[in-house]
């Protein structure tokens, strides 16, 4: 671990990530990299370059990708990983994490989240504000669980899927990779084909 943290992405999601990192009090210095040259600072923290500058900070900084889009987050995370960057897990002090929960690097767990025991969350995920993830879930890499989502026990969410705000997923349901579940939807059966699903219960659109 380094005493400096560089967050890639200084927009909305990056700001929440920075807020959590500040509250964790683990880094002496926190700054951003952002490809929009017009952004000079965010959250009172300096933007010190673009994502192309990351390699020059590898030896002195930890890195975190504060980008909401799952594909983009994966691309940047994987190139940092390949370059040997240290990518921590960020957990808001007001999240509740049960026993035997395993969380991969580059995942952020936001305020008010509850993750119950024996759940595995892979790398590069967003577990957004106030979501609940019950026991024995398996959240695969680069998933976004939006604010206020409720996942019952033994749910599996496939890589790069995005579960929309306020959705609910019943116990033992498997959702395949690259699915988008719309805001306020309810999933009661497995989703086996990638696609966009909305409604109560969900239908594919
Ligand atoms: C599901 C979603 C991705 C679809 O977006 P889209 O592809 O642009 O789809 P459209 O807005 O064109 O809607 C297509 C149809 O689906 C319906 N629909 C869209 N989202 C819906 C939802 N969440 N629940 C029920 N119906 C929905 C629309 O009413 C429309 O129906 P119509 O054809 O009868 O008019 C989007 O509506 C959504 O719910 N996004 C989640 C946002 C979110 O969770 N944000 C959190 C950020 S942290």
């Amino acid at each position: 671990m380094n005493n400096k943290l560089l967050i890639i992405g200084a927009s909305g999601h990056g700001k929440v990530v920075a807020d959590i990192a500040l509250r964790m009090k683990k880094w002496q210095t926190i700054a951003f990299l952002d490809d929009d040259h017009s952004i000079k600072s965010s959250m009172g923290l300096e933007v010190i370059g673009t994502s192309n500058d990351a390699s020059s900070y590898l030896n002195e900084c930890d890195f975190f990708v504060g980008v909401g889009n799952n594909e983009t987050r994966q691309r940047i995370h994987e190139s940092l990983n390949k370059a040997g960057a240290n990518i921590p897990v960020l957990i808001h002090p007001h999240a509740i994490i049960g026993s035997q929960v395993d969380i991969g690097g580059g995942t952020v767990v936001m305020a008010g989240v509850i993750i119950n025991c024996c759940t595995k969350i892979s790398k590069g995920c967003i577990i957004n504000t106030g979501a609940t993830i019950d026991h024995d879930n398996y959240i695969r890499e680069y998933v976004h669980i939006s604010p206020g989502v409720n996942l019952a026990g033994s749910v599996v969410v496939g890589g790069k899927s995005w579960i929309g705000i306020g959705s609910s997923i019943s116990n033992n349901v498997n959702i395949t990779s690259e699915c988008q579940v719309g805001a306020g939807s309810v999933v009661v059966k497995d989703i086996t084909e990638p696609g966009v699903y909305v409604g109560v219960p969900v239908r594919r659109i």
Side-chain angles (χ1 to χ4, degrees), residues 180-192:
Q180 217 170 345
V181 172
S185 298
V186 176
V187 186
V188 295
K189 290 182 188 159
D190 289 357
I191 296 179
T192 55

Side-chain angles (χ1 to χ4, degrees), residues 6-181:
L6 266 184
I7 298 166
I8 300 186
S11 299
H13 177 62
K15 289 198 288 188
V16 182
V17 164
D19 190 33
I20 293 168
L22 286 164
R23 282 162 196 270
M24 289 173 72
K25 298 187 193 309
K26 284 192 170 178
W27 294 275
Q28 280 170 14
T29 309
I30 300 176
F32 288 104
L33 298 178
D34 197 290
D35 292 345
D36 180 344
H37 292 272
S38 69
I39 307 177
K40 303 293 179 209
S41 74
S42 183
M43 292 278 296
L45 303 171
E46 200 182 352
V47 179
I48 60 170
T50 68
S51 57
N52 287 334
D53 300 321
S55 55
S56 41
Y57 294 101
L58 280 173
N59 294 331
E60 48 178 307
C61 296
D62 289 350
F63 279 86
F64 200 90
V65 188
V67 172
N69 179 276
N70 290 344
E71 290 276 347
T72 311
R73 194 169 63 260
Q74 175 184 29
R75 180 174 51 74
I76 302 171
H77 180 107
E78 289 187 355
S79 82
L80 286 170
N81 214 21
K82 212 167 156 189
N86 186 48
I87 307 175
V89 176
L90 297 185
I91 300 178
H92 192 286
H94 291 158
I96 297 172
I97 313 288
S99 306
Q100 296 179 41
V101 168
D102 182 20
I103 304 178
T107 287
V108 59
V109 177
M110 294 188 178
V113 164
I114 301 175
I115 301 174
N116 260 334
C117 57
C118 309
T119 276
K120 177 176 166 65
I121 303 196
S122 304
K123 62 184 173 184
C125 292
I126 301 169
I127 312 300
N128 221 316
T129 314
T132 68
I133 300 186
D134 224 289
H135 63 89
D136 298 296
N137 276 223
Y138 181 20
I139 311 298
R140 299 196 62 135
E141 56 281 355
Y142 310 111
V143 162
H144 181 176
I145 304 291
S146 295
V149 167
N150 298 125
L151 305 187
S154 303
V155 167
V156 178
V157 181
K160 285 191 276 177
S161 283
W162 176 20
I163 310 301
I165 189 164
S167 304
S168 300
I169 319 289
S170 282
N171 50 305
N172 303 311
V173 164
N174 284 10
I175 296 175
T176 195
S177 57
E178 301 189 31
C179 285
Q180 217 170 345
V181 172

